[in-house]
Amino acid sequence: MLVDRRTVLLCGLAAALSACGEPAPRKTGGAGTARPGDRVVAVSQVPSGSGLLVDMPGNAQLLVVQSRSGEFRAFNPSCPHVGSFVNPPAGGAITCPLHGSTFDPSTGEVRKGPATSGLAEVALVRSGDDLVLG
């Protein structure tokens, strides 16, 4: 049986699309559906002088930072300029990879635009070896 080129291309495209499935939903910044007292991350996982993006319930993420030894803060990682997620601190600054805004890792305040406001802080408290929402 001979199959024409159009049939092969259409079948290949249909197979590729069905294999891919639905695109993953874009993560949002913040605590998602977590509530005060919910665990965010173990203290030992947050590097001193830096931080990390932590997955939260409800397809959300927080940026948890330890800018100085033992001082922890959490921020919504959405840059106030256009909403792109910022990177964890490096070289003493939190940087947005999209347009280059920089933020203070201790306070979330904007250091350099185009963002005109700082990162939104999310209340965080230490509970033993864990950091939990405040």
Side-chain angles (χ1 to χ4, degrees):
M1 175 173 134
L2 288 176
V3 180
D4 69 7
R5 182 179 176 168
R6 181 171 183 254
T7 302
V8 170
L9 289 174
L10 289 175
C11 288
L13 178 61
L17 290 175
S18 66
C20 293
E22 293 293 316
R26 183 175 181 262
K27 290 197 183 287
T28 59
T33 58
R35 300 183 148 191
D38 286 353
R39 181 182 183 276
V40 176
V41 68
V43 168
S44 62
Q45 290 183 284
V46 185
S48 184
S50 187
L52 72 155
L53 289 166
V54 177
D55 288 335
M56 298 298 292
N59 203 40
Q61 282 190 326
L62 283 178
L63 173 61
V64 180
V65 174
Q66 183 178 192
S67 55
R68 290 186 206 112
S69 183
E71 292 182 19
F72 299 93
R73 291 250 162 84
F75 301 102
N76 180 328
S78 297
C79 179
H81 179 231
V82 291
S84 166
F85 277 11
V86 298
N87 292 324
I94 297 169
T95 304
C96 178
L98 192 59
H99 295 114
S101 293
T102 59
F103 305 89
D104 186 306
S106 296
T107 63
E109 292 177 7
V110 67
R111 286 185 178 167
K112 180 185 113 188
T116 57
S117 59
L119 299 173
E121 188 166 0
V122 176
L124 191 68
V125 250
R126 186 172 183 162
S127 177
D129 293 334
D130 290 323
L131 298 172
V132 300
L133 290 180

